[in-house]
Amino acid sequence: MGNKMSPLFVLVYLFLVLNGEGIITNVEAKSNVHIIYLGERQYDEPKLITVLHHDMLAKVVGSNEMASDLMVYSYKHGFSGFAAKLTKSQAQKLAELPGVVRVIPNRLHKLQTTRSWDFLGLSSHSPNNILHSSNMGDGAIIGVFDTGLWPESRVFRDEGLGPVPPRWRGVCKSGEKFNASTHCNRKIIGARWYINGFLAEYGKPLNTSGDQEFLSPRDANGHGTHTASTAGGSFVGNVSYKGLGSGTVRGGAPRARLAIYKVCWDILGGQCSSADILKAFDDAIHDGVDVLSLSIGSSIPLFSDVDERDGIATGSFHAVARGITVVCGAANEGPSAYTVHNTAPWILTVAASTMDRAFPTSITLGNNKTLLGQAIFTGKEIGFTDLVYLESTKFDPNAAGMCEDLSLNNISVSGKVVLCFTSIARRTALVQASAVVKEAGGVGVIIAKKPNDALYSCDGDFPCIEVDYEIGTRILFYIRSTRSPLVKLSPSKTIVGKPVSPKVAYFSSRGPNSIAPAILKPDITAPGANILAATSPLGQSMDGGYAMLSGTSMSTPHISGIAALLKVLHPHWSPAAIKSALITTAWQTGPSGLPIFAEGFPQNLANPFDFGGGIVNANGAADPGLVYDMGTTDYIHYLCAMAYNNSAISRLIGQSTVCPSTKVSILDVNLPSITIPGLRNSSTITRTVTNVGALKTIYRAVIEPPIGIMVSVKPDVLVFNSTLEKISFKVTVSTTHKVNTGYYFGSLTWTNGVHAVRSPLAQIEPPPSISVNVRPDILLFNSTTKKVSFTVAGSTTHKLNKGYYFGSLTWTDGLHTVHIVYLGQKKYEDPATTKRSHHEMLSNLLGSKEAAKSSILYSYRHGFSGFAARLTESQAEAIADFPGVVQVIPNRIHKLHTTRSWDFIGINHHSSKNLLTKSNMGKGIIIGVIDSGVWPESESFNDEGMAPIPSRWKGICQQGQLFNSTNCNKKLIGARWFIKGLRDQLKMPINESDMEYLSPRDAEGHGTHTASTAAGYYVNKANYGGLATGLARGGAPLAHLAIYKACWQIGGGCTDADFLKAIDKAIHDGVDILSLSLGDGIPLYSYVDHRDSVAIGSFHAVMKGITVVCSAGNDGPISQTIANTAPWVITIAATTIDRAFLTAITLGNNHTLWGQSMYTGKHNHGFTGLTYSERIAVDPNDDLAKDCQPGSLNATMAAGKIVLCFSQSPQPAIASASDSVLEAGGVGIIFAQLHDDGIQSCDLIPCIKVDYEVGTQILSYIRKARSPTAKLSFPRTVIGKWSSPRVASFSSRGPSSMSPAPDVAAPGVDILAAVPPSYGSGFALKSGTSMACPHVSGIVALIKSAHPNWSPAAIRSALVTTGKLKPTFVCSSQVGTDGSGIAQDDPNHKAADPFDVGGGNVNPNKAVDPGLIYNISIGDYVEFLCSMGYSSASITTLTKTTIDCTKKGHFGPNLNLPSITIPNLQKTLTVTRTVTNVGPVSTVYKVVVQAPHGITVAVTPQTLSFNVTTQILSFKVTFFSTSKLNGDYKFGSLTWKDSKHRVRIPIAVRAINFESFADL
């Protein structure tokens, strides 16, 4: 971490990023602030309590004078305690004194960071809302804990306000540039500031001039001013941010009074100490506030709800006990699960949403096509100017165009607009890219990124426009297809209302609650994206005293303002009643009636873990009908259920309390929600409702049960009258699920015809640290200097003997690099003639046959025509102009996308009634695998029982290092290797000692794994370290394999030149199927860009009838990341299977928790010391120890212990963390991380993966136990009931530009298959879409064997239309083997859609008999290429057929795919599809349509009748949209049914109301 902080602080964000430099000073080595917490006050007189505190401290430190010097705060109003500077021994002595509940080290907390009120239905112009019925909150007092305020802001004027409420007992405290008598008024009735706790840690006064801070309530940062004005600011008209968002700014309760408690300081990004926060709570309770608003939180892992080190949870408990509603932000760590903060049940926790406002910014391309991005750009229009994307000439052509690392490479961007791509959602990439472009003289930047709802303006109104990957790719395609691309950037506009739909914000933290999963968090959602409110004139991005900020910091004061209105309207309601009213009346749909989505990766329908009850409905909350009330007794119930200590509870609440001997159920806490985190069979819970509506009324229960869950309510009718206002009821919840699943969601609503009281229902390795320096790093040669020496210096940070790591040193003159000269379709049938033509063309360019022979690497002469050769840039440009040259493509490197599975899919070898048997196990089919080679000695490639090699086979077994013809057999019938392209790319020789084999032999294992998965022979008792034991085989065990090694460990992938030669040879050799587990990353090339060697090579293969199966990529779960999207390839996503490797973690209290592990080595199986990594940090001021980064752990304290670590990254590094623990002497690691698929093995110590929930439970045990211990068991394999299938987290998602890619999904997580013997047993568990791809390749072999005349398109159609589904269509969900819907890999169990799994999980037994198929001819693909804007000349060269695209219509949507995707539906569109009957000759099919939400679908005709003369029929599908919004994709399906078959295609439609401002 950059700045180091004391562990005695709780870091608090203004749930927004604060900027500033802090001053760190030395303090006495052993003196730090501690909070001595004494629980409830023992005396009513505050002065007496303070005397008691001083006396207690004096006993320990030796004198009253010393006690006064060390005392920081006395807490005497809301509770009893004090903060003091103490040594460790003094703190220990105080902890042992009678009456001391706990001694708490001070911590730092983090700050979490107008149309919104009208959006929420609180327009000041309407007389019929809560704003007016509550007199705009007049009389309510809102306390705001934040960075202070800027009192001169007009939003804090007191015009029209009456006297200060007489019950107010607070003060207005003067300070630097803050005068109490002039800066407080009838609006700002109180202002205090707290810095003693913070300064005590830094040791000297704050340098306010250097730090731009004020020792007073005055706000230097602007965050506090923003939140206070949002909660209770007065009306200010004609406000905007640089002309955007114009309107009236005000708070939610504009007549409420504000009390400011400055607890956060603009130092080191915004710091607020626990001591200061607790003192502010103490004073606020005394002062008489009604509502407290805290946009503050800590960090994962959280302290338990009742751990006093969580100053917010402790302080808020006392506030709520006094009737004060405490509102807190949920934090900004979304969209990952288990990241919600402020989870105590007495706190009202707020998530953030967008609203119905956007700031679209027109991007007009030189072809007059206008696309829309979003920005806060209000400068002058940038007229048409050059548009560039920085392409690299190195391995990865997109590397130079990454926003966070833009490489201009001496390319002038002066006066130009630059397009870049980034995978970083936060602001970092935008800031870096705009700075680089601006400094280089550029005039604008377009950033293509994954979604994030917060917009930022760039310095000096420099245009930086954000678009998603889809729009960014369309712009990139325009750049790549245009000689002089141009662009015009228009200023941003404000759009409000119907064109924009609200969503849960990307950054908003999500549940489940990691402390207590049975307590639903967040509670409620309010607008928090791009909120316009007042700020400090000193704040960043300020315009005229106002700023547009985003964060749950902004949503929190929205709820605080509404809570103030409710308090005025219902002054006797408890905080729990107010919370209940807000939750049970919240909206689950936007103003348009469309459901609310949650932004993330990918976007999905929001559920209670995203938004709690929903988006706040203030007017509904004013009259909820019923409330679920709670008081101190209920919170005691909760504390007992959490196993908190009796004496501690007693001191906390001020009275003797003994928890029942029988453990109470946390499920019975009277929350307005029901969350059951571990439902086994059934559970019955109790709730009590209080009638706050009409005295006489009858409510009836309406249940929406979660999928697979049965819910009953007794009684199901509640009758209230004048004497009966409280009624209890019981809810029994039972499950039919036979597997461990994620959470499912439903609701319980009580309704009397007027009110609907709804309760949500929820049921359950970095690279090696080696540095290399070369001196000199430039070598200059001339006529006199032929030889130059240089030195290479290496250094390492490794503390262990690790073994060898590998890299390379390349000297390059930048002149000759490999280029692929692509000539399209073969001109000559004779390969030798084709090869001679290549040499002649190259000879004409280079001047001699000798030069051509030296330059050429490959001649492509079988499937298509072209060659790869070493050329200078000028030579490449010259040959591009030769007749017949389609394109000259720089060579690149592609990445490899890296058993129970066959039984899981349904082709068990014991059954005689499945595709495996019907196809004779793929006998006679040849599968070509382009990958990293093969280990031929593996038992998986035994040819026992194999048929003779097919006579049509023309391939060879190419010899090489440790590989000769004897390594081929009737299973491995061919093997080739291709390295010329890589060797030239690396500019270095590749030696046989470089951990590689110059032959088809596989060094890495990836190719062996994929080949054996596709067609490996039977191997009994295969396993990985004793796990996953069983029969290993491929999908088509009697199919033949042809191996094409084009991918290498050295260089990290496969070059275009080698890959294309492999395809060329495979076409010549006679394969039936090609399996390609490789591809590109974002941004992709267009389908017809010849630099996409997978698309081009596969096109030629498909033309020859070869089915090409490709992996979708491993860049998920972000949307628009799918690779290999050409419509002629079959693209495969990855799912999990119903298998887990469970490992028991038994704690010293005999509580057993479960994780997953693959470690089966030796270790101590008895109880061993257990510790948390932060406790044993080398540097307590650094966060590196939290996730056990290298060198961060104290070896003395870690020795012999199991260490718990928490991952801080979305890409957890458990292997690196285990190395760190091992280096420190630890004997095991428990690694808590965000949900992620695949298990990494650790070689030397047990490493167990758990999620944040289990990790937090273990941490809670560690913090409670004096000597925590744990026992780690061996993992065991569990099949079937433990887990249901999910889309793998890494699996890349659609949409692609054309189809709802991927096509289908198959198992790709922890797949057991053959590998080289270096892995140990010769088998390994690997994960990736690389593993899913060969599953489908094997299935395709079976189908091809059963239907040898089917085209690649027919096979793809059969797979897509028979994907496994639910019996009832719900949100395009697919199903697993247990019948439950396939979900995304997310604990919230969000249903998978076609962009996740295409047609669904592959269903081979159905695919062999699909009934109907959607066939596609080469002519169809040609028309498709025309519709994509490809030139007629290029397509003519490609196909050897004269093509005139000008005579072809708008064919794109009519490509006969087994899916329909309409990315931009304006009003109506009709598409055509054609089906071919492959079932019974005479049959009748009827159509069933599940229309996407908000879309009407009509099919003509609705019946298809087939007979002996009619086997091919066409139909039309017309889509109508009545949406007034620019929406997101909605999903549906179209199914043709006869008596036996269900031929289903997925539908994805995005309705748009406008494409440009001209449409508005």
Side-chain angles (χ1 to χ4, degrees):
M1 301 291 289
N3 294 306
K4 297 180 179 180
M5 292 166 284
S6 167
L8 307 179
F9 280 80
V10 180
L11 189 60
V12 185
Y13 288 130
L14 302 168
F15 285 140
L16 178 94
V17 177
L18 295 179
N19 297 297
E21 295 292 332
I23 296 176
I24 304 176
T25 58
N26 294 323
V27 296
E28 182 185 348
K30 297 182 180 180
S31 179
N32 295 102
V33 172
H34 290 71
I35 300 164
I36 291 74
Y37 179 65
L38 305 175
E40 188 63 26
R41 296 183 303 166
Q42 301 300 307
Y43 308 99
D44 291 331
E45 175 55 49
K47 291 182 179 179
L48 186 59
I49 295 173
T50 298
V51 171
L52 174 68
H53 296 164
H54 278 267
D55 289 345
M56 182 178 287
L57 184 56
K59 289 180 181 179
V60 172
V61 300
S63 69
N64 288 327
E65 293 76 11
M66 183 66 74
S68 295
D69 290 341
L70 296 177
M71 182 74 73
V72 177
Y73 293 119
S74 173
Y75 309 124
K76 52 186 181 286
H77 300 299
F79 51 92
S80 180
F82 57 92
K85 288 175 278 188
L86 303 170
T87 65
K88 189 174 181 179
S89 61
Q90 291 169 338
Q92 182 62 40
K93 290 178 181 178
L94 274 166
E96 295 169 356
L97 292 179
V100 174
V101 177
R102 189 156 190 170
V103 176
I104 312 162
N106 191 24
R107 297 192 302 145
L108 286 180
H109 295 261
K110 301 179 180 179
L111 291 161
Q112 304 168 340
T113 285
T114 272
R115 167 70 185 164
S116 57
W117 296 113
D118 290 351
F119 168 73
L120 294 175
L122 298 179
S123 171
S124 60
H125 303 297
S126 172
N128 300 317
N129 61 34
I130 186 179
L131 186 66
H132 292 277
S133 60
S134 66
N135 196 17
M136 300 189 185
D138 196 7
I141 304 172
I142 304 173
V144 181
F145 288 16
D146 216 293
T147 60
L149 87 161
W150 195 266
E152 293 84 0
S153 175
R154 291 188 294 163
V155 296
F156 302 127
R157 293 181 302 182
D158 63 355
E159 294 174 8
L161 291 177
V164 175
R167 60 192 167 84
W168 175 249
R169 292 182 292 169
V171 300
C172 193
K173 186 178 178 182
S174 294
E176 184 181 2
K177 295 187 179 180
F178 191 94
N179 187 313
S181 61
T182 60
H183 287 136
C184 284
N185 55 21
R186 289 171 295 174
K187 167 60 73 175
I188 307 300
I189 64 173
R192 300 176 183 261
W193 50 289
Y194 306 84
I195 198 171
N196 292 351
F198 178 74
L199 290 183
E201 294 300 322
Y202 285 86
K204 72 176 184 179
L206 196 67
N207 180 355
T208 56
S209 60
D211 291 310
Q212 194 174 287
E213 254 294 3
F214 303 99
L215 295 175
S216 73
R218 183 173 290 279
D219 181 12
N221 173 272
H223 190 277
T225 302
H226 199 282
T227 56
S229 65
T230 301
S234 300
F235 289 90
V236 182
N238 298 318
V239 172
S240 71
Y241 181 72
K242 299 182 178 182
L244 297 176
S246 299
T248 298
V249 165
R250 66 173 176 86
R255 295 181 64 84
R257 316 308 168 96
L258 289 169
I260 305 302
Y261 300 85
K262 182 176 178 178
V263 297
C264 300
W265 300 84
D266 196 8
I267 308 293
L268 299 178
Q271 308 297 316
C272 336
S273 89
S274 290
D276 296 336
I277 291 173
L278 277 172
K279 183 58 181 173
F281 268 115
D282 187 45
D283 285 340
I285 293 169
H286 167 268
D287 294 348
V289 302
D290 299 301
V291 178
L292 279 174
S293 186
L294 288 82
S295 293
I296 298 172
S298 53
S299 62
I300 299 291
L302 305 176
F303 287 100
S304 71
D305 291 315
V306 292
D307 191 317
E308 297 87 349
R309 286 172 290 184
D310 186 345
I312 296 176
T314 301
S316 62
F317 180 90
H318 291 283
V320 169
R322 303 303 193 283
I324 301 170
T325 299
V326 181
V327 186
C328 295
N332 300 330
E333 297 182 19
S336 299
Y338 293 109
T339 53
V340 64
H341 295 197
N342 297 314
T343 60
W346 45 85
I347 291 174
L348 182 48
T349 308
V350 186
S353 73
T354 64
M355 50 186 174
D356 60 345
R357 181 177 68 186
F359 304 107
T361 308
S362 282
I363 303 167
T364 305
L365 305 179
N367 59 6
N368 287 322
K369 179 68 175 178
T370 297
L371 304 171
L372 291 178
Q374 281 212 79
I376 299 179
F377 167 47
T378 56
K380 294 181 180 180
E381 179 178 272
I382 307 297
F384 278 107
T385 189
D386 290 340
L387 172 63
V388 298
Y389 174 70
L390 303 173
E391 305 246 20
S392 173
T393 59
K394 298 182 179 180
F395 290 171
D396 183 356
N398 296 319
M402 293 292 104
C403 300
E404 59 272 26
D405 192 26
L406 276 180
S407 177
L408 299 182
N409 292 327
N410 298 318
I411 298 173
S412 173
V413 298
S414 179
K416 299 176 183 178
V417 174
V418 177
L419 169 69
C420 65
F421 284 72
T422 182
S423 60
I424 299 174
R426 306 289 181 179
R427 188 185 182 191
T428 309
L430 181 147
V431 172
Q432 292 176 348
S434 60
V436 170
V437 173
K438 186 177 181 181
E439 183 178 356
V443 297
V445 62
I446 302 171
I447 300 102
K449 61 196 289 291
K450 59 187 179 183
N452 184 13
D453 304 292
L455 291 176
Y456 305 94
S457 60
C458 291
D459 291 342
D461 231 348
F462 185 79
C464 47
I465 304 173
E466 300 181 27
V467 298
D468 63 17
Y469 287 151
E470 180 184 344
I471 298 296
T473 302
R474 289 167 69 180
I475 298 171
L476 181 57
F477 287 178
Y478 163 71
I479 294 173
R480 285 173 168 168
S481 63
T482 306
R483 289 191 174 184
S484 301
L486 301 174
V487 70
K488 179 175 68 176
L489 305 180
S490 301
S492 305
K493 305 290 185 181
T494 303
I495 296 179
V496 172
K498 290 185 176 180
V500 186
S501 180
K503 304 184 292 288
V504 178
Y506 177 91
F507 54 77
S508 187
S509 286
R510 311 299 214 264
N513 180 340
S514 63
I515 296 291
I519 307 299
L520 179 65
K521 290 291 176 175
D523 295 304
I524 195 71
T525 300
N530 306 316
I531 302 301
L532 182 63
T535 189
S536 165
L538 305 178
Q540 292 187 345
S541 303
M542 183 276 304
D543 180 45
Y546 297 88
M548 201 171 278
L549 302 179
S550 299
T552 53
S553 278
M554 284 63 250
S555 59
T556 298
H558 278 85
I559 298 298
S560 302
I562 293 170
L565 301 180
L566 292 173
K567 191 66 177 178
V568 170
L569 206 59
H570 304 287
H572 301 299
W573 276 13
S574 68
I578 291 174
K579 175 160 75 170
S580 173
L582 293 170
I583 292 174
T584 61
T585 61
W587 289 312
Q588 288 81 50
T589 61
S592 66
L594 290 175
I596 295 168
F597 281 74
E599 195 62 88
F601 37 75
Q603 176 179 276
N604 278 281
L605 283 171
N607 65 43
F609 292 155
D610 300 315
F611 65 2
I615 293 180
V616 64
N617 174 7
N619 295 315
D623 181 21
L626 306 175
V627 295
Y628 294 78
D629 208 357
M630 287 195 291
T632 302
T633 301
D634 298 279
Y635 298 129
I636 292 172
H637 178 125
Y638 165 76
L639 298 174
C640 289
M642 291 293 287
Y644 203 56
N645 179 279
N646 282 334
S647 60
I649 297 175
S650 300
R651 291 192 178 99
L652 180 67
I653 65 173
Q655 63 185 44
S656 179
T657 300
V658 178
C659 290
S661 57
T662 301
K663 185 176 180 179
V664 296
S665 173
I666 195 172
L667 300 179
D668 289 333
V669 177
N670 201 42
L671 295 165
S673 60
I674 298 172
T675 306
I676 307 175
L679 181 64
R680 290 185 178 271
N681 296 307
S682 67
S683 181
T684 298
I685 65 174
T686 301
R687 289 291 186 272
T688 300
V689 288
T690 302
N691 182 21
V692 294
L695 291 178
K696 294 184 177 181
T697 189
I698 299 174
Y699 283 85
R700 289 177 170 82
V702 178
I703 300 169
E704 292 183 32
I707 296 172
I709 306 297
M710 293 178 291
V711 181
S712 62
V713 180
K714 291 186 179 179
D716 58 2
V717 177
L718 306 180
V719 181
F720 296 91
N721 54 43
S722 58
T723 61
L724 188 62
E725 65 173 17
K726 286 190 177 185
I727 300 179
S728 296
F729 60 89
K730 293 185 181 295
V731 182
T732 300
V733 183
S734 57
T735 179
T736 61
H737 288 292
K738 303 300 182 183
V739 298
N740 280 16
T741 67
Y743 283 93
Y744 293 95
F745 303 95
S747 64
L748 165 63
T749 303
W750 291 104
T751 179
N752 65 352
V754 177
H755 304 94
V757 188
R758 182 183 181 277
S759 294
L761 178 59
Q763 185 252 340
I764 206 203
E765 172 164 289
S769 302
I770 306 292
S771 299
V772 178
N773 291 303
V774 181
R775 291 293 183 271
D777 56 4
I778 297 176
L779 305 183
L780 301 177
F781 296 89
N782 54 41
S783 59
T784 60
T785 305
K786 301 294 187 182
K787 184 182 294 185
V788 179
S789 297
F790 59 91
T791 59
V792 181
S795 61
T796 179
T797 59
H798 286 301
K799 307 299 183 183
L800 296 174
N801 286 357
K802 305 283 287 187
Y804 286 100
Y805 291 103
F806 302 92
S808 67
L809 168 63
T810 302
W811 292 103
T812 178
D813 60 2
L815 298 178
H816 292 81
T817 56
V818 172
H819 290 71
I820 299 162
V821 182
Y822 179 66
L823 305 174
Q825 188 65 19
K826 294 187 301 177
K827 187 176 180 180
Y828 309 104
E829 288 300 322
D830 179 25
T833 303
T834 302
K835 183 176 181 180
R836 281 196 299 271
S837 70
H838 298 162
H839 280 263
E840 288 172 3
M841 180 180 286
L842 196 52
S843 297
N844 291 335
L845 174 72
L846 302 180
S848 70
K849 292 182 179 180
E850 291 74 17
K853 185 176 181 180
S854 175
S855 172
I856 199 164
L857 275 71
Y858 294 119
S859 172
Y860 309 124
R861 56 191 186 272
H862 300 296
F864 51 93
S865 180
F867 56 89
R870 300 182 188 90
L871 303 173
T872 64
E873 286 301 319
S874 61
Q875 290 168 344
E877 291 173 6
I879 203 168
D881 295 328
F882 277 34
V885 173
V886 177
Q887 192 166 1
V888 178
I889 313 163
N891 193 26
R892 299 180 300 134
I893 284 186
H894 297 260
K895 301 291 185 181
L896 287 164
H897 286 158
T898 291
T899 268
R900 164 74 183 160
S901 55
W902 294 113
D903 290 352
F904 172 78
I905 287 173
I907 45 177
N908 188 308
H909 71 286
H910 297 300
S911 172
S912 61
K913 297 181 179 181
N914 61 34
L915 175 59
L916 188 65
T917 310
K918 293 177 182 177
S919 66
N920 200 10
M921 303 186 189
K923 182 179 179 180
I925 301 300
I926 304 171
I927 303 175
V929 180
I930 303 180
D931 211 295
S932 65
V934 68
W935 195 268
E937 292 82 4
S938 171
E939 281 299 306
S940 292
F941 307 119
N942 189 316
D943 67 352
E944 181 181 340
M946 292 292 299
I949 297 173
S951 59
R952 70 184 190 280
W953 175 246
K954 294 185 291 182
I956 65 170
C957 194
Q958 186 180 357
Q959 299 190 36
Q961 182 186 0
L962 299 181
F963 198 100
N964 58 45
S965 59
T966 62
N967 291 122
C968 289
N969 55 20
K970 289 182 290 185
K971 168 61 74 175
L972 290 178
I973 65 173
R976 299 179 184 264
W977 53 291
F978 308 87
I979 199 171
K980 294 178 182 179
L982 178 67
R983 182 180 281 138
D984 189 85
Q985 200 80 30
L986 295 176
K987 306 296 183 188
M988 60 180 282
I990 299 175
N991 301 313
E992 295 184 356
S993 60
D994 287 333
M995 293 296 291
E996 257 294 2
Y997 301 98
L998 299 181
S999 72
R1001 186 172 291 279
D1002 184 12
E1004 194 269 344
H1006 191 276
T1008 303
H1009 199 282
T1010 57
S1012 63
T1013 301
Y1017 197 68
Y1018 293 95
V1019 180
N1020 199 15
K1021 297 182 180 180
N1023 66 85
Y1024 177 73
L1027 297 174
T1029 301
L1031 182 70
R1033 66 172 176 87
L1038 294 185
H1040 307 280
L1041 284 166
I1043 305 301
Y1044 300 88
K1045 180 177 178 178
C1047 304
W1048 303 80
Q1049 279 199 115
I1050 299 172
C1054 341
T1055 72
D1056 285 311
D1058 296 332
F1059 173 77
L1060 277 172
K1061 187 59 180 175
I1063 287 190
D1064 186 49
K1065 286 295 187 182
I1067 294 171
H1068 166 268
D1069 292 347
V1071 302
D1072 299 299
I1073 297 146
L1074 275 174
S1075 185
L1076 313 177
S1077 293
L1078 50 86
D1080 290 320
I1082 294 296
L1084 302 177
Y1085 291 100
S1086 70
Y1087 295 141
V1088 292
D1089 191 316
H1090 290 74
R1091 287 173 290 184
D1092 186 346
S1093 57
V1094 175
I1096 298 305
S1098 63
F1099 182 85
H1100 290 283
V1102 170
M1103 285 182 65
K1104 301 297 189 292
I1106 301 170
T1107 302
V1108 181
V1109 186
C1110 298
S1111 51
N1114 299 330
D1115 291 325
I1118 303 165
S1119 62
Q1120 301 176 6
T1121 54
I1122 187 114
N1124 297 319
T1125 62
W1128 44 84
V1129 303
I1130 304 176
T1131 310
I1132 313 303
T1135 60
T1136 64
I1137 59 175
D1138 57 346
R1139 180 177 65 193
F1141 304 112
L1142 297 185
T1143 307
I1145 305 167
T1146 306
L1147 305 180
N1149 58 7
N1150 286 323
H1151 184 51
T1152 298
L1153 300 169
W1154 296 92
Q1156 287 206 69
S1157 175
M1158 293 197 305
Y1159 180 81
T1160 57
K1162 296 180 179 179
H1163 67 276
N1164 181 2
H1165 297 287
F1167 281 97
T1168 306
L1170 173 65
T1171 189
Y1172 173 43
S1173 57
E1174 276 198 331
R1175 290 186 168 188
I1176 59 172
V1178 170
D1179 183 355
N1181 299 326
D1182 205 330
D1183 278 348
L1184 293 176
K1186 187 174 287 187
D1187 51 358
C1188 298
Q1189 294 188 35
S1192 65
L1193 304 179
N1194 185 308
T1196 301
M1197 302 172 73
K1201 290 185 172 67
I1202 299 166
V1203 181
L1204 171 66
C1205 315
F1206 273 77
S1207 170
Q1208 305 297 296
S1209 168
Q1211 287 84 35
I1214 187 171
S1216 173
S1218 69
D1219 287 345
S1220 180
V1221 171
L1222 176 64
E1223 180 182 359
V1227 296
I1229 177 175
I1230 302 170
F1231 197 74
Q1233 63 176 67
L1234 296 171
H1235 205 69
D1236 181 49
D1237 276 313
I1239 308 171
Q1240 288 182 289
S1241 63
C1242 304
D1243 296 330
L1244 300 175
I1245 60 172
C1247 55
I1248 302 174
K1249 180 181 79 171
V1250 299
D1251 61 22
Y1252 278 167
E1253 180 185 337
V1254 173
T1256 303
Q1257 291 183 53
I1258 298 170
L1259 180 56
S1260 179
Y1261 162 71
I1262 292 172
R1263 285 170 169 165
K1264 290 177 182 178
R1266 290 190 176 184
S1267 301
T1269 59
K1271 179 175 67 174
L1272 306 181
S1273 301
F1274 273 124
R1276 57 192 179 96
T1277 305
V1278 178
I1279 292 175
K1281 293 185 179 182
W1282 177 262
S1283 61
S1284 63
R1286 304 180 308 275
V1287 184
S1289 58
F1290 55 75
S1291 187
S1292 290
R1293 307 307 211 262
S1296 75
S1297 60
M1298 192 58 205
S1299 67
D1303 293 302
V1304 289
V1309 177
D1310 297 328
I1311 301 301
L1312 183 71
V1315 289
S1318 57
Y1319 282 79
S1321 64
F1323 288 85
L1325 292 160
K1326 288 180 175 284
S1327 299
T1329 54
S1330 281
M1331 284 64 247
C1333 174
H1335 278 86
V1336 175
S1337 301
I1339 292 168
V1340 169
L1342 300 181
I1343 297 174
K1344 187 71 173 176
S1345 181
H1347 302 287
N1349 296 321
W1350 278 13
S1351 68
I1355 293 173
R1356 192 254 295 273
S1357 173
L1359 293 169
V1360 174
T1361 60
T1362 60
K1364 290 182 180 177
L1365 322 174
K1366 297 186 73 163
T1368 301
F1369 179 90
V1370 180
C1371 297
S1372 297
S1373 296
Q1374 317 303 311
V1375 298
T1377 49
D1378 64 321
S1380 64
I1382 294 175
Q1384 296 174 33
D1385 191 7
D1386 183 293
N1388 302 351
H1389 215 86
K1390 293 180 178 178
D1393 60 46
F1395 291 165
D1396 302 316
V1397 295
N1401 233 355
V1402 65
N1403 186 359
N1405 295 316
K1406 292 289 185 181
V1408 73
D1409 182 19
L1412 304 176
I1413 58 170
Y1414 293 76
N1415 215 350
I1416 306 177
S1417 69
I1418 297 301
D1420 294 330
Y1421 292 129
V1422 170
E1423 293 218 31
F1424 167 74
L1425 296 177
C1426 285
S1427 72
M1428 293 293 289
Y1430 206 53
S1431 72
S1432 300
S1434 296
I1435 300 176
T1436 298
T1437 304
L1438 179 68
T1439 62
K1440 204 177 180 181
T1441 304
T1442 302
I1443 303 296
D1444 185 358
C1445 286
T1446 62
K1447 296 182 179 180
K1448 299 183 182 298
H1450 184 64
F1451 186 78
N1454 293 321
L1455 181 63
N1456 202 40
L1457 294 166
S1459 59
I1460 299 175
T1461 301
I1462 305 176
N1464 296 300
L1465 177 63
Q1466 284 186 294
K1467 296 182 180 179
T1468 185
L1469 179 70
T1470 298
V1471 302
T1472 301
R1473 289 293 185 270
T1474 300
V1475 288
T1476 301
N1477 180 26
V1478 294
V1481 171
S1482 297
T1483 186
V1484 177
Y1485 283 85
K1486 294 182 179 180
V1487 72
V1488 178
V1489 176
Q1490 294 284 345
H1493 188 91
I1495 306 294
T1496 301
V1497 182
V1499 181
T1500 306
Q1502 296 190 349
T1503 300
L1504 301 179
S1505 298
F1506 296 92
N1507 54 45
V1508 68
T1509 61
T1510 304
Q1511 294 294 291
I1512 300 176
L1513 289 172
S1514 296
F1515 60 91
K1516 294 184 181 296
V1517 187
T1518 302
F1519 297 87
F1520 305 89
S1521 172
T1522 57
S1523 174
K1524 304 301 183 184
L1525 297 173
N1526 266 24
D1528 298 299
Y1529 279 98
K1530 304 298 186 296
F1531 304 99
S1533 69
L1534 184 155
T1535 305
W1536 291 104
K1537 300 169 59 176
D1538 69 356
S1539 59
K1540 178 182 179 182
H1541 303 95
R1542 301 292 185 270
V1543 188
R1544 177 190 176 275
I1545 64 173
I1547 295 173
V1549 180
R1550 179 173 59 189
I1552 63 169
N1553 195 41
F1554 62 91
E1555 282 194 293
S1556 66
F1557 299 126
D1559 299 324
L1560 294 176

